[in-house]
Amino acid sequence: MATGLLAHINELSEQDCAITGAAADWAATAPLDALKTLPLVDAAVSTRIGSRDEPVVLEWEWDRPIDLTYAGLYRTNLWKTGRIRLEAFKTSARTSLAFTTQHASGIDRLVLPGLYDPKTLRFGGENTVLGQLGAREFLRYPTNIHVTMPLCSAQVLRWTVYGPAYRVTGSRYSTTEQAYRIGFGWAGDSLAFDRHVGASAEGYRRGGKVTELAGGGVAVEPGRGRRTATLDRTVNEAGDRDRLFDLVNFLDADRPAVWLPDTDSAFDCYRYGGLFQVIEDFSQKYLNDLHSAATINLGEVTT
């Protein structure tokens, strides 16, 4: 199966980190420090939409460099044709890059990169040219930005954002929103995680409550569903066994984790990956002195 990513320590929340942006670009009533904590509804809000020549910029700076293999923005309202750039600087001097998403040609990454799979596209559809999800499919999932990179050390992360934002009202949407919203941020190291076939799965747990009425009718109390993921490992070597046990002990029931099913597929990460929590007890079954089997059950963070 594809190589996934599992991250449990968010250096944005766990260490002192200064989050800054141009004062005129961010609403004072929605502090940037909201990116450090849940709930997702407590978002940082910009005062304008960025353009290529005048983008909206956000910087995260730590007292000392951190190990970095993943960074993300969660519950945003960036439209799929918007552009983002992440630059990781080695020191606070901001003169040496450890990593950037910008192509050598100067082109920035789309909010949702193309799927590059002709079988998913309908000729003449709105997503034919860019190879993206259609609008309805795009809006079914939270708009999260995932950036993975080889292990590097960085003290400053700079996010550059420009392009349209959207607003959903009932069953309709508009891409003329005049402010960006970002609910949560993440930066730190992660585990490369290969799921094993058999018990590994993705799912959806419905949120509504159905009550059967006399006479055969039903009443439905609406609720918010959430995605689930089952990460099964048939055989863990000793090192993986210890790292997984450390992970679930750190998370317990209150801390979030990042799960991406395939770091080579932006499509799979958008649809199946995101911000999760451990929702069931964890145990490891010993196969011998050096190997064990384990399953982690995750439920999506929706609030």
Side-chain angles (χ1 to χ4, degrees):
M1 297 186 71
T3 299
L5 177 147
L6 190 58
H8 66 293
I9 298 179
N10 183 7
E11 303 293 3
L12 194 64
S13 304
E14 299 297 330
Q15 291 197 41
D16 291 334
C17 179
I19 303 180
T20 58
D25 286 348
W26 296 94
T29 53
L32 291 174
D33 276 353
L35 297 179
K36 297 180 179 181
T37 58
L38 298 173
L40 295 168
V41 292
D42 290 339
V45 181
S46 72
T47 58
R48 66 180 179 90
I49 295 297
S51 65
R52 182 180 177 84
D53 294 331
E54 295 183 350
V56 173
V57 177
L58 187 65
E59 288 192 345
W60 304 346
E61 181 174 353
W62 289 266
D63 295 335
R64 60 185 63 85
I66 63 168
D67 290 336
L68 187 69
T69 54
Y70 171 81
L73 301 175
Y74 286 84
R75 197 59 64 86
T76 78
N77 69 334
L78 306 175
W79 188 240
K80 59 181 180 175
T81 55
R83 299 277 178 173
I84 65 102
R85 181 192 316 146
L86 174 65
E87 298 167 289
F89 295 94
K90 295 179 180 179
T91 68
S92 59
R94 297 166 172 77
T95 56
S96 180
L97 277 172
F99 174 81
T100 180
T101 58
Q102 190 175 52
H103 191 269
S105 64
I107 297 175
D108 289 316
R109 203 195 85 171
L110 286 164
V111 166
L112 181 61
L115 308 182
Y116 306 116
D117 183 359
K119 295 190 297 295
T120 68
L121 305 178
R122 177 175 294 176
F123 181 77
E126 58 161 329
N127 57 342
T128 301
V129 176
L130 295 177
Q132 297 180 315
L133 290 175
R136 289 179 177 176
E137 290 76 19
F138 178 81
L139 292 170
R140 284 195 180 108
Y141 304 98
T143 306
N144 303 326
I145 309 297
H146 304 297
V147 179
T148 61
M149 69 284 291
L151 176 63
C152 62
S153 178
Q155 189 171 355
V156 178
L157 296 187
R158 177 184 295 160
W159 294 94
T160 301
V161 182
Y162 57 95
Y166 69 87
R167 174 187 290 270
V168 176
T169 304
S171 60
R172 300 180 180 274
Y173 72 93
S174 167
T175 58
T176 58
E177 180 68 357
Q178 295 303 303
Y180 298 127
R181 298 180 60 87
I182 306 173
F184 190 64
W186 191 291
D189 201 358
S190 59
L191 301 177
F193 193 93
D194 295 322
R195 293 178 294 174
H196 293 170
V197 298
S200 293
E202 281 115 7
Y204 181 79
R205 184 171 295 178
R206 67 182 186 182
K209 181 180 179 181
V210 179
T211 303
E212 293 187 6
L213 305 176
V218 296
V220 178
E221 181 179 346
R224 173 176 288 179
R226 61 175 176 169
R227 296 173 296 166
T228 62
T230 301
L231 315 183
D232 184 68
R233 295 273 299 184
T234 306
V235 178
N236 288 314
E237 297 182 352
D240 290 334
R241 175 198 66 193
D242 295 342
R243 283 188 286 270
L244 289 178
F245 201 71
D246 289 346
L247 181 147
V248 294
N249 269 273
F250 178 83
L251 292 175
D252 202 3
D254 58 336
R255 284 187 170 98
V258 174
W259 164 243
L260 303 180
D262 183 356
T263 54
D264 290 329
S265 172
F267 166 72
D268 285 351
C269 291
Y270 187 82
R271 178 168 276 166
Y272 301 110
L275 203 63
F276 289 83
Q277 289 174 313
V278 177
I279 57 175
E280 292 186 12
D281 293 341
F282 175 81
S283 65
Q284 299 191 109
K285 180 181 179 181
Y286 280 85
L287 306 177
N288 54 45
D289 289 343
L290 297 177
H291 299 89
S292 64
T295 301
I296 299 177
N297 293 288
L298 302 175
E300 184 182 15
V301 176
T302 59
T303 58

